[in-house]
Amino acid sequence: MLISQILDDAETIRVVARSGGKTRIINGARSVYSLAMEAARTGVGLATLIERKGLGETIDLDAAYKKGRLLSPINHPDPAHLHLTGTGLTHLGSAATRDSMHKKLSTDGEEQLTDSMKMFRMGLEGGKPAKGQIGVQPEWFYKGNGTMAVAPGAALLSPAFAKDAGEEPEIAGIYVIGDDGAPFRVGFTLSNEFSDHVTERVNYLFLAHSKLRNASFGPEILIGDLPSDIRGTSRIVRDGNTLWEKPFLSGEANMSHTIANLEHHHFKYSAFRQPGDVHVHMFGTATLSFADGIKTEAGDMFEIEAGDFGLPLRNPLEIEKPVKVVVKAL
């Protein structure tokens, strides 16, 4: 089952479910967030709760997308309580690009093992622990709160000071925190973990700066288990023509970490187990247009698709105007 959110003609949020080809409104659901919190509080599985509520009017989701009526598939009434985070170097083959970005030489000209490659090897050796065991922690980063989340179809804004504006096609886990602080997974969705790879390449310690960017996810959330072998396509369209296109792989069959291990190392921090919060946690990628020498421009369209996740995630690129910030003393 796939679920998503749209705005109807009266500007009211409608939660819709897609199963068996038809997309229909979920009766009595005010938002995906309220639906997920109800499931957490009642102990009823999300799919079961949806079945109990029943499905109503049929919706043309493609038409809603074209009209700009699709929302992010989950949000929070207070954007400060939605967290955008992610992990890196989690996919088989993901080290190659990062290693080339961070390559360094010793004083005698011998290549040293980069921090990226060290982290990648740690994942290969300890990212898939036995059941009940805790594996090695992954690279982790913070992207921002709900103010940085961009709806499917809306523009990803790159700061004027950015050196690069590149896509990262990923799978994200969607979570809510129950009243007792327990994390609950709503499902999985496509995401564009939009980043500045040139800034990151300057120095690995700039990784935190490079990640403080918009992100988009959706349009639909896949309820249930994540397929072990996900095969999708990432592309950039410029002036109606495909500028760049490449397949991407995800799912645990193509990863050096289990999803459970990545989830543990995020939610082990009590700050991320605050009742009522929403988390969008991105699991990494091995495919980047930046690795192929692509430099994006304002107006380019990012497209990410994978069959299990419904409609493709599309976002145009915009460049923000320069802003000079002056701090005033009180």
Side-chain angles (χ1 to χ4, degrees):
M1 180 183 289
L2 295 160
I3 60 173
S4 53
Q5 299 186 128
I6 65 169
L7 275 180
D8 66 14
D9 292 339
E11 302 296 317
T12 300
I13 295 176
R14 300 292 185 185
V15 182
V16 299
R18 188 140 68 108
S19 183
K22 288 187 177 181
T23 305
R24 299 170 68 185
I25 291 175
I26 301 172
N27 297 328
R30 292 177 287 112
S31 68
V32 169
Y33 173 72
S34 65
L35 192 68
M37 291 302 294
E38 182 179 348
R41 286 169 178 148
T42 60
V44 176
L46 191 54
T48 300
L49 180 61
I50 291 170
E51 289 174 2
R52 288 182 183 178
K53 287 183 175 294
L55 302 176
E57 178 187 349
T58 300
I59 293 295
D60 187 337
L61 205 58
D62 284 292
Y65 204 172
K66 291 174 182 176
K67 292 178 181 178
R69 291 285 180 174
L70 259 65
L71 303 172
S72 295
I74 194 169
N75 46 30
H76 192 285
D78 179 355
H81 287 277
L82 186 151
H83 306 275
L84 295 171
T85 56
T87 61
L89 295 168
T90 54
H91 283 63
L92 303 176
S94 64
T97 300
R98 294 285 290 281
D99 190 48
S100 64
M101 288 165 60
H102 306 144
K103 191 75 80 176
K104 55 188 175 183
L105 296 175
S106 64
T107 54
D108 61 1
E110 293 291 325
E111 285 187 354
Q112 294 178 326
L113 202 61
T114 65
D115 290 334
S116 292
M117 189 58 75
K118 290 176 184 177
M119 182 73 74
F120 180 67
R121 286 190 178 181
M122 288 169 63
L124 289 176
E125 295 168 0
K128 292 186 172 181
K131 188 174 182 179
Q133 301 295 311
I134 296 173
V136 66
Q137 63 184 359
E139 174 193 54
W140 181 96
F141 54 83
Y142 174 73
K143 288 193 65 66
N145 59 26
T147 63
M148 302 290 276
V150 171
L156 291 163
L157 301 178
S158 182
F161 57 77
K163 305 298 183 184
D164 175 53
E167 84 302 329
E168 294 201 20
E170 306 190 14
I171 304 302
I174 307 296
Y175 307 86
V176 295
I177 309 301
D179 295 333
D180 61 353
F184 290 89
R185 187 193 311 118
V186 179
F188 300 95
T189 186
L190 296 173
S191 68
N192 188 341
E193 196 273 286
F194 186 59
S195 299
D196 183 344
H197 304 101
V198 172
T199 291
E200 180 187 347
R201 185 175 60 182
V202 172
N203 188 300
Y204 193 65
L205 295 178
F206 281 170
L207 176 71
H209 288 279
S210 74
K211 296 297 186 182
L212 288 172
R213 301 289 187 272
N214 284 163
S216 188
F217 53 96
E220 301 177 80
I221 298 174
L222 174 67
I223 296 175
D225 294 332
L226 184 70
S228 62
D229 183 21
I230 297 166
R231 295 169 183 265
T233 302
S234 179
R235 69 176 61 87
I236 298 173
V237 177
R238 180 177 294 171
D239 298 328
N241 300 309
T242 299
L243 173 70
W244 173 89
E245 181 176 278
K246 207 165 190 176
F248 73 91
L249 302 177
S250 195
E252 288 188 0
N254 304 297
M255 296 173 67
S256 53
H257 287 259
T258 62
I259 297 300
N261 192 53
L262 300 179
E263 290 174 335
H264 165 78
H265 285 296
H266 178 69
F267 290 110
K268 68 184 181 184
Y269 295 101
S270 61
F272 297 145
R273 300 195 307 274
Q274 298 302 303
D277 280 4
V278 174
H279 290 257
V280 180
H281 193 52
M282 290 158 266
F283 297 130
T285 189
T287 303
L288 306 172
S289 64
F290 174 78
D292 293 334
I294 299 297
K295 184 173 177 57
T296 58
E297 300 175 355
D300 287 350
M301 178 70 75
F302 299 112
E303 294 186 356
I304 299 169
E305 60 183 346
D308 294 304
F309 295 88
L311 295 175
L313 176 61
R314 300 189 186 99
N315 299 95
L317 171 63
E318 288 187 15
I319 309 298
E320 290 183 319
K321 295 180 179 179
V323 176
K324 183 177 181 181
V325 179
V326 177
V327 177
K328 298 179 181 179
L330 294 176

